[in-house]
Amino acid sequence: MRTVFHLIKTYPQQAFLLVFNTGVFAWLQLAGQAILNQFGWSQSLMANSPDWLQGLAGGSLDRLHGLISSGPIAWLVASLILTLIIRFVKGLIKWTLFILIILVGLYLIGQYQGALG
């Protein structure tokens, strides 16, 4: 338990995103199941779905059910991958700015070396 609290204090943004994504995952899973239970496993599910969803599922009930069932897992995986990408880009930008500041400093020292000496 102490390790978990240490990780939360060390990485608060990632901990919040994990909790948020878990909540969205659970909501999407329950909403998808509620849709399937309300319309049932019949042609009415395909008839009541929007045209873009019918096109995405190819007019097949099995593919529509698979699409609705896999939505929460796809959200969870994609959001965690995006979190890793954002963390990497943030670090890359930080190092780029750090190196840029050092290079500008070295350039200014080189330009005004006569005034300094």
Side-chain angles (χ1 to χ4, degrees), residues 66-84:
L67 183 69
I68 291 173
S69 298
S70 66
I73 295 170
W75 164 265
L76 187 64
V77 169
S79 63
L80 290 177
I81 289 172
L82 283 174
T83 302
L84 291 173

Side-chain angles (χ1 to χ4, degrees), residues 21-69:
N21 286 332
T22 305
V24 171
F25 171 76
W27 176 78
L28 283 173
Q29 198 168 28
L30 290 174
Q33 291 301 321
I35 289 170
L36 291 175
N37 290 338
Q38 182 178 1
F39 290 116
W41 185 247
S42 66
Q43 192 59 33
S44 67
L45 178 63
M46 188 58 75
N48 291 330
S49 61
D51 292 336
W52 64 268
L53 189 58
Q54 289 178 11
L56 194 61
S60 169
L61 286 173
D62 291 331
R63 286 183 64 190
L64 181 63
H65 184 268
L67 183 69
I68 291 173
S69 298

